[in-house]
Amino acid sequence: MNMPDITEEHVDLFYQKLKQGVESSGYHLNPDVEFTKELLKSILINQNRYKYGACPCRLASGVKEEDLDIICPCDYRDPDLEDYGSCYCGLYVSGEILSGERQLTSIPERRPGPDDRKKPKKVQGDLPATLSLPVWRCRVCGYLCAREDPPETCPICKVGKERFERFI
Ligand SMILES: [Zn+2]
């Protein structure tokens, strides 16, 4: 099958759009523009190859349902930003890294192995009897909402509905 080539224009456009969205939601892309564009190019290649923008630094399975946690921005971005000042790939960095107050280090893989990912997560504590609506949690930013179905798009971090999990 012939894949459309990813051109520099595609990458530039993606970069501009992403940067705008990212900065307006309080995140930062890596200030090394060349490096960042290389990562974005890999995401676009994955998008073409798998039909979802899997993390450029991890091996995708090709099955979207198995890889929802590593569609960029991955579920592990925020904890890694918190602990290491950068996401696993170095695409997103913290304000401290940006200002030079903190140095980039290598980041251990936080993603659980395939067997552990399949285990259903335990819901903590008993359910309040008065709660009539299910609570949904955005796996990327942690946003919670109580409603029949998860929102089409997370109002905080803008990822799609498929990135929500049932919280309660
Ligand atoms: Zn979110």
Side-chain angles (χ1 to χ4, degrees):
M1 196 175 72
N2 254 335
M3 308 255 190
D5 278 340
I6 305 294
T7 65
E8 221 169 291
E9 286 71 36
H10 285 132
V11 177
D12 282 347
L13 204 70
F14 185 28
Y15 175 76
Q16 302 301 344
K17 252 183 75 177
L18 187 70
K19 188 166 170 65
Q20 216 174 37
V22 160
E23 301 287 339
S24 70
S25 49
Y27 289 95
H28 310 285
L29 291 180
N30 193 308
D32 182 339
V33 177
E34 286 314 304
F35 171 81
T36 299
K37 284 187 176 174
E38 275 307 306
L39 290 175
L40 296 189
K41 188 176 179 184
S42 304
I43 295 174
L44 289 173
I45 291 171
N46 286 344
Q47 179 83 48
N48 266 352
R49 185 182 295 158
Y50 305 119
K51 306 295 168 222
Y52 56 92
C55 172
C57 309
R58 293 179 169 107
L59 192 64
S61 70
V63 180
K64 188 176 179 185
E65 290 66 36
E66 288 175 12
D67 284 345
L68 285 175
D69 61 318
I70 56 160
I71 295 177
C72 189
C74 69
D75 289 4
Y76 315 105
R77 176 188 62 175
D78 285 17
D80 280 341
L81 279 173
E82 184 70 32
D83 291 349
Y84 306 105
S86 160
C87 72
Y88 185 60
C89 297
L91 176 59
Y92 287 90
V93 297
S94 69
E96 283 179 324
I97 296 283
L98 203 62
S99 65
E101 287 164 61
R102 191 172 176 180
Q103 296 301 308
L104 274 181
T105 53
S106 69
I107 297 160
E109 173 62 291
R110 184 187 291 274
R111 189 186 199 204
D115 291 339
D116 288 327
R117 286 203 299 277
K118 281 179 191 133
K119 287 184 197 145
K121 271 201 233 126
K122 267 197 307 233
V123 174
Q124 299 289 316
D126 290 325
L127 304 185
T130 51
L131 204 65
S132 55
L133 286 170
V135 174
W136 301 93
R137 175 180 176 275
C138 172
R139 296 177 56 131
V140 175
C141 75
Y143 168 73
L144 293 173
C145 56
R147 45 189 280 171
E148 215 52 71
D149 295 300
E152 282 307 315
T153 314
C154 174
I156 306 301
C157 73
K158 317 294 183 218
V159 295
K161 171 180 208 162
E162 72 279 5
R163 307 297 295 279
F164 277 78
E165 65 182 0
R166 183 75 187 261
F167 185 65
I168 298 177

